[in-house]
Amino acid sequence: MGAYERGFRNLSLPRLRELAEFYGVPMGVLLGEADGQSRSGLRVSKVVLDLEILGNVEAAEPVVRYLKTIIIERGDFNGRMLSVRRDDIRALCAILHSTENELFDTLAEWNALLSGGPAEDEG
């Protein structure tokens, strides 16, 4: 398990299924979902954050630190805005101890959400 977690081995779908059966959990739980389903039932469009505004919000300091790691990884130093991915949204929720809805509400309150956000799943 440690080799999978550290990224030293790639996890195939059949192996994921075997591990889920062994641990008695849905496969989604092993992929980081709380209950094997989407945590919020939301579909998230491309999310773009305003880095300048976030840099001026004291309560956003932990978020800014995390976003700086993304910037360094990507080599994207424009300094004004940053698009974040689905996994980044999950990490930001953990950093702020919030649900996705709460995260987007907070980002909107800070006026840091340039585009994107949740949309209710259809069907």
Side-chain angles (χ1 to χ4, degrees):
M1 281 305 291
Y4 293 124
E5 291 172 344
R6 290 186 301 276
F8 294 140
R9 296 192 66 190
N10 291 323
L11 185 61
S12 67
L13 184 57
R15 186 65 163 156
L16 175 64
R17 186 175 292 120
E18 289 174 14
L19 289 169
E21 288 174 8
F22 176 79
Y23 288 109
V25 298
M27 288 190 296
V29 169
L30 297 177
L31 296 172
E33 296 293 341
D35 60 3
Q37 304 292 322
S38 172
R39 272 188 227 171
S40 61
L42 299 177
R43 177 174 37 87
V44 177
S45 60
K46 182 177 179 181
V47 176
V48 180
L49 302 176
D50 187 317
L51 297 174
E52 291 178 341
I53 288 177
L54 284 171
N56 293 319
V57 176
E58 188 175 332
E61 187 176 321
V63 171
V64 171
R65 276 196 311 270
Y66 176 74
L67 296 177
K68 284 180 181 178
T69 66
I70 295 171
I71 290 166
I72 291 168
E73 270 185 31
R74 293 186 194 171
D76 179 7
F77 298 100
N78 76 25
R80 300 181 69 123
M81 64 180 86
L82 181 69
S83 63
V84 293
R85 300 175 179 144
R86 182 78 181 140
D87 288 341
D88 301 326
I89 298 296
R90 290 185 182 125
L92 291 172
C93 287
I95 289 167
L96 294 178
H97 307 286
S98 66
T99 65
E100 286 182 14
N101 282 328
E102 293 167 342
L103 171 68
F104 287 114
D105 289 346
T106 299
L107 293 170
E109 285 175 24
W110 292 339
N111 294 316
L113 190 58
L114 293 175
S115 69
E120 292 295 331
D121 278 341
E122 296 173 12

